[in-house]
Amino acid sequence: MANALGLVSSSLHSFRWRNRAPLWLSRSDKRAPFICCAAGDDGVEGHVLGAASSRSHRPRVIGMGSKLVGCGSSVPKLLISNDDLAQIVETSDEWISVRTGIRNRRVLSGNETLSGFAVDAAKGALQMAQLEAEEVDLVIMCTSTPDDLFGCGTQVQRDLGCKNAWAFDITAACSGFIVGLISATRFIKATGGGFQNILVIGADALSRYVDWTDRGTCILFGDAAGAVLVQACHSDEDGLLGFDLHSDGHGHRQLNALAQGDDDKLISNSNGAPLFPPRKSSFSCIQMNGKEVFRFAVRSVPQSIEAALEEAGLSSSSIDWLLLHQANQRIIDAVSNRLEIPSDKVISNLANYGNTSAASIPLALDEAIRGGKIQAGNTIATAGFGAGLTWGSAIIRWR
């Protein structure tokens, strides 16, 4: 089968954890904690953007629920406007804003570090949750642009003072926060509450990999960090109502930043034995086929959200807020139209920050909560999508 990019082949395997109640539970018990994996007769659970298998398996009862109880965010001081970009590339404020909805973005400067902003965002989440750093059991750092090649989750853990926590990094580009959020809930559920408090941080500094002479990409990206505190709770209070995750490497060519190095031709020493010369490795600037990525997003994201809503037993009319990865306002509008969600229920801060990759969802969430839009008990449909290609969605309830 084909999709907008021809991205999903018949051999694509889609693995999905389920949080569905078995048939012997009443409708009112649908949030009880269950995990199962649904698969077709050949072991492949459907394909093509989240098509569900017609064959169901009896779920396993396991674990606890989880809920979001705190959030925070942090952005660099340096603001770059569309007019600023017009001084270095052939563009204008009108050209950028009409095509993307972006007017400003923040970028790292001076001695600022990505891990520093991640720490600040996490502190905000801890403060809102009224939790001490020593009470955190796990720190999940979602980033594709760490300060260190080997990741910076442990540095964030150290600087926060989370001395009792384990820490690791997740690399999934603009889908990173969704992957981290769902991972956090699975740690809580699978360990029966062995993990009580988990910090999920989305942070990226894509300005490090932008070609500032390419108006097709330099206008899009900014730097930021956002964080949430996910806490174990009774299954009746479970705040993750449904989710859906996918990846397909066939679309990698449409959005990437490849490793590159010096010429690797062999040289020989005096006795003729081959030697490899020293190589200075780096990554290319971000390469993106904007039209194809747009087509991918407007096709895949609504279907993923619909699959997550089906799992949650909800319809799009039940959603209080739609919060998508902040990539392009035209994508946000297209998805909300497809799902028939009115514009006054759509959260967007893209104009002020641009595409901040893994930070975009928690950054917008934090602003909406602190600004009084999102209230306790509200249901939020959220989705991330980007390089990999990866995409996924989650239906969550704010504490």
Side-chain angles (χ1 to χ4, degrees), residues 217-340:
T217 57
C218 75
I219 64 174
L220 299 175
F221 300 105
D223 306 336
V228 297
L229 195 289
V230 182
Q231 190 170 74
C233 64
H234 190 273
S235 60
D236 290 342
E237 300 175 295
D238 198 353
L240 179 65
L241 309 181
F243 67 89
D244 181 75
L245 290 172
H246 299 273
S247 61
D248 182 13
H250 290 87
H252 171 260
R253 66 188 183 278
Q254 310 295 354
L255 179 55
N256 59 69
L258 298 174
Q260 59 186 9
D262 297 333
D263 189 355
D264 60 355
K265 290 182 179 179
L266 288 175
I267 60 173
S268 300
N269 61 14
S270 57
N271 64 9
L275 295 175
F276 285 100
R279 299 183 63 191
K280 183 178 180 181
S281 296
S282 62
F283 289 91
S284 70
C285 291
I286 295 170
Q287 306 294 316
M288 183 176 71
N289 184 331
K291 291 182 179 180
E292 294 298 342
V293 171
F294 180 89
R295 292 175 61 198
F296 149 69
V298 299
R299 179 181 175 93
S300 304
V301 174
Q303 292 189 12
S304 181
I305 292 175
E306 287 169 347
L309 283 169
E310 180 183 2
E311 183 176 31
L314 299 173
S315 65
S316 60
S317 62
S318 305
I319 296 172
D320 294 305
W321 299 101
L322 176 66
L323 173 52
L324 303 180
H325 164 51
Q326 306 288 293
N328 185 305
Q329 191 62 45
R330 292 168 61 207
I331 293 176
I332 295 173
D333 293 342
V335 173
S336 61
N337 289 337
R338 165 75 179 271
L339 296 172
E340 298 183 343

Side-chain angles (χ1 to χ4, degrees), residues 10 13 39 46 55 126-127 177 208 270 273 302 344:
S10 61
H13 288 243
R55 181 181 179 185
L126 288 171
Q127 183 179 29
F177 177 75
R208 292 168 168 168
S270 57
D344 61 354

Side-chain angles (χ1 to χ4, degrees), residues 30-43:
K30 69 179 181 297
R31 291 198 309 271
F34 302 94
I35 298 177
C36 72
C37 178
D41 293 333
D42 58 355

Side-chain angles (χ1 to χ4, degrees), residues 75-133:
V75 299
K77 294 179 181 179
L78 180 60
L79 181 149
I80 298 180
S81 68
N82 291 345
D83 289 332
D84 293 330
L85 288 178
Q87 304 302 311
I88 59 175
V89 293
E90 185 180 350
T91 189
S92 68
D93 175 65
E94 181 182 11
W95 192 91
I96 297 171
S97 59
V98 167
R99 288 163 176 77
T100 69
I102 300 169
R103 293 190 177 276
N104 299 294
R105 70 283 297 147
R106 304 294 186 98
V107 301
L108 294 182
S109 63
N111 295 323
E112 293 175 337
T113 63
L114 186 69
S115 59
F117 288 105
V119 168
D120 289 343
K123 286 180 178 178
L126 288 171
Q127 183 179 29
M128 183 181 290
Q130 298 183 344
L131 207 69
E132 298 298 325

